[in-house]
Amino acid sequence: MHDLMPTRRDLLRASAGLVVSFTLARHAMAGGGEPDQKPAAGSSTAPKPVALDQVDSYLAIAPDNRVTLYSGKVDLGTGIETAFTQILAEELEVPAENITFISGDTLLTPDQGPTFGSLSIQSGGMQLRQAAATARKALLAMAADRFHVEPTAVTLQAGRVIAGERSVPYGDLLADQRFALKVDPNAPTKNPATFKVVGTSVPRADIPPKVTGRFTYMQDYKVDGMLHGRVVRPSGIRSSLQSVDRGSVQGIPGIVSVVQEGNFLGVVAETEWAAIRGAQALKATWSDWQGLPEQSKLFETVRATKVEKDEITSSTGDPKIALDKAARKLKATYEFAIHTHGSIGPSCAIVAIADNKLTCWTASQSTHKLREQLATMLSMPRENVRCIYVEGSGCYGRNGHEDAAADAAVLSRAVGGRPVRVQWSRADEHGWDPKGPPTMLDLQAGLDDQGNVVAWQSELFICATSAPFVPLLAANLTDLPREHGMAPGGVTGDSAIPYAFPAVHTMAHRLADAPLRPAWIRTPGRMQNTFANESFMDELAAAANADPLAFRLKYLKDPRGIELLHRLAALAKWDARPSPQRRQGGDVATGRGMSYVKYELNRTYIGAVAEVEVKRSTGEIRVTRFNVAHDCGQIINPDGLRNQIEGNVIQTVSRTLMEEVTFNRSHVTSLDWASYPIITFPDVPDVVMDLIDRPNEKPWGAGEPTAAVVPSAVGNAVFDAIGVRLRSVPMKPEKVLAALRAT
Amino acid sequence: MPKTAQLTVNGKPALVPADDGQIPLLYVLRNDLGLHGPRFGCGLGQCGACMVLMDGKATRSCITPLASVGQAKITTLEGLGSPEQPSAVQKAFIDEQAVQCGYCINGMIIQATDLLSRNHFPSASDIKQALANNLCRCGTHLRIVRAVQRASRSI
Ligand code: FES
Ligand code: FES
């Protein structure tokens, strides 16, 4: 009954986020709900190409001249759908409203890698642009052929090829054929000076349906005959299931099955409410497991964890010798707590299995990788698994979406493949999604007697990368086949520094274990590294009695970085002087602190100035205003960029000031918004920014690069205000008070 | 005979199963009536994603048992307007592009609609206070406040 072939219905799924839930679901489930529909563009029955080097993998032009954009990168609520549509509209000369966006469907879209790292536009968008440029070149050649003119005599405009008086829509020219072309890396792309769509603030197509309830999120998605599943979590992270009292759910109408597989325990029911009640009522006994470290000794545990390997991230000169000779030496340790993604909508997925074929509807940021993981877990051929992206609540990294999909897969298999929807609870999400691991850095530096930096040394302590992807929770609990190990993301990025000191050594101790299942959460490692580096830079500037901005400029050789810092100084009306400022009277002190990063040392430049108020009597910090100077090269959609920058600042101010996953020896104890509070409206800072647009440069990632500079800018502003250095995130009032007492 | 309850949702009568009066209104609206506006966020009354208007008052449907609804008139995000004809508040959210993932936005619009019905010219700080118990993880707060201010000027 499964039809894994795309039909026109699939291909024409509306853009604007109007995912047609029922019709698509019915099709994909029941197969060929519309059997006479032929596939769009390229009417042959050959499957649609998805290879990265094929033009047809990225785009299709139908006879009615509608264009379909196939994207392996998905919109996680960041506006990628609109930005990609702009890129294609511009390069292919088609009206943006004629483009339908299909993303993250393993059957239809190219595997452009997970949607993470603020790489969508920089990498996925540029693959799309090159495919479009190749298509453009082909259209010009086809038109030249048709009109018997030179390709240079043909122009493209609004979906038509034009030669003198004659003009034809692309759809006519292609006559329902695919391009059947390899992406030509040398196909000329448009001159940015002629851009009409790229670089403008095209409003996001998904917003009108989202603000009126017409949008279908993953959490809203329905499939015919769908059952509802909930998982009952162990009492300790690695507790084993000893017994289940199935009678405990007997009185609840609508329970279909209690599913037990290894340490995986779940309930499947006819209605969502019955599943919730069943999961709450189900009695089970678990072994006592107390393998987590004591929370108060978390960073001692991190330091004591076995090192799997050391990675040197940069090395210049000999900082040991230089430190020995230095007139002044500084040393500090920075810590960064465990954070959770905190999606407002807990993870959700649906899985159905029929004829040994599995279909998974998921909000995963990496459907292609999930497909492999599900295939491995259920020992199915990869070709028999199809993952279809349906946008969910923002995930900010690898949250629980993939795990909910694995839960649904285990439950669906247990009930004969019937479609099962798993909606995680708040406690599932807060307690069981993988976490940003605890991170610690030791830094040392030396100054000569003129206050020049002569040596810099850093050691990062962070869990190792030992798995290609984050293992699925359900695979762990059931002990089904899986990849073992940890995958915290590219955490060593920005361990090396952008400053030209004579002797530098930066390295990472990659640890053999982490207390909770690790994953990437927005700006993985790079936020922690930048927190330590840029706070320590501030310590050095203070030790040298120098203005922190001038101090950085002294060691910055990169002209774009230098220009950025000058623009930042102007934006923030930077008051050039050393920190801290003179003692202010009254209980509330104000301060300003800066930070700078060249993201991963190879892309987006960010400079930031945080302005804070610190209440000495209570230790409370308020960030009142946050200034950002931003250079990501070519800007695709300025308002979309602003939206992302604002969001990254606000979320990271929250993480910096208040967030910390708590746990006892058995499990996470911060299971709701009361125990894991995040920033609320009265406390959000104003965000102002200066966007440097460089249309002739490559577009680089934006979003998470801004998050990198937030904790250090805030900490440096607190130092400026009250003269105490905060070296531990979150910067909770008790830490401020303790630091004040210690002075 | 399975029990049913008669609700008034978005101006129309709706007959829903009521075997368990303790079922939160949220699940009735989402699963029995197929509405997408009210969203499941926490089920604990902590985030505001599930909000609906009950007789004009912003209410957390995840902690509102069906049995307690009585004759109250329920309005969801769908009942306020559509992409073709958005309400003033919805339109202001579109104009300000005050959405990232948008999962929280239902609660923001419902709460703001309630606020503006009581206070026609709220200050930025009134708006922030009114929304203090509505959580947004994407950090869309500044745009949301601007959208509510814009809506207040247009009403
Ligand atoms: S879902 Fe109702 S308050 Fe969170
Ligand atoms: S817009 Fe995503 S949670 Fe608010």
Side-chain angles (χ1 to χ4, degrees), chain A residues 70-75 80 84 101-104 109-116 119-121 123-125 127 365 389:
Chain A
Y70 297 97
S71 174
K73 299 284 187 190
V74 298
D75 198 327
I80 283 305
F84 273 37
F101 183 78
I102 289 184
S103 67
T109 64
D111 180 2
Q112 296 179 283
T115 305
F116 63 12
L119 288 165
S120 291
I121 286 174
S123 114
Q127 288 170 321
Q365 57 166 204
Y389 179 72

Side-chain angles (χ1 to χ4, degrees), chain A residues 204 217 219 272 341 659, chain B residues 30-31 41 97 100-101 137:
Chain A
R204 272 174 48 179
Y217 289 92
Q219 284 85 351
E272 184 167 21
H341 301 83
E659 295 184 28
Chain B
R30 288 181 55 77
N31 295 336
Q97 295 282 290
Q100 287 186 55
C101 78
R137 183 53 160 171

Side-chain angles (χ1 to χ4, degrees), chain A residues 405-574:
Chain A
D407 290 345
V410 170
L411 293 175
S412 170
R413 188 171 74 162
V415 294
R418 290 182 67 183
V420 175
R421 169 182 185 266
V422 171
Q423 167 67 70
W424 271 21
S425 69
R426 175 49 50 201
D428 283 332
E429 192 74 29
H430 265 58
W432 292 85
D433 94 325
K435 308 299 179 200
T439 310
M440 187 172 73
L441 286 109
D442 287 341
L443 290 106
Q444 281 192 69
L447 297 168
D448 68 13
D449 51 12
Q450 310 290 308
N452 297 307
V453 181
V454 294
W456 174 285
Q457 218 173 283
S458 75
E459 291 171 72
L460 161 67
F461 297 78
I462 183 119
C463 63
T465 299
S466 50
F469 221 68
V470 180
L472 298 170
L473 184 54
N476 287 345
L477 292 170
T478 51
D479 201 20
L480 284 165
R482 65 197 180 278
E483 294 153 338
H484 294 261
M486 299 181 291
V491 289
T492 57
D494 295 306
S495 148
I497 52 174
Y499 305 110
F501 300 143
V504 176
H505 190 266
T506 60
M507 58 110 66
H509 301 296
R510 304 302 301 273
L511 311 176
D513 200 7
L516 300 167
R517 187 171 57 126
W520 46 94
I521 149 166
R522 199 170 254 181
T523 323
R526 305 152 210 167
M527 178 185 290
Q528 289 79 350
N529 294 329
T530 306
F531 167 54
N533 292 342
E534 284 297 301
S535 301
F536 199 55
M537 256 321 257
D538 215 64
E539 295 200 45
L540 294 175
N545 199 32
D547 169 58
L549 200 141
F551 188 74
R552 283 170 173 83
L553 280 172
K554 195 161 99 175
Y555 299 102
L556 208 53
K557 302 292 169 227
D558 184 330
R560 273 171 84 168
I562 293 167
E563 183 188 338
L564 181 101
L565 286 188
H566 287 303
R567 298 265 296 245
L568 175 67
L571 174 74
K573 301 188 179 61
W574 181 256

Side-chain angles (χ1 to χ4, degrees), chain A residues 378-391:
Chain A
L378 297 186
S379 304
M380 294 173 78
R382 203 175 61 136
E383 310 73 66
N384 287 11
V385 177
R386 178 181 182 183
C387 293
I388 302 171
Y389 179 72
V390 185
E391 187 175 333

Side-chain angles (χ1 to χ4, degrees), chain A residues 344 394 396, chain B residues 99-105 135-140 144:
Chain A
I344 293 296
Y396 327 107
Chain B
V99 172
Q100 287 186 55
C101 78
Y103 202 88
C104 68
I105 294 298
L135 301 179
C136 172
R137 183 53 160 171
C138 294
T140 316
I144 293 169

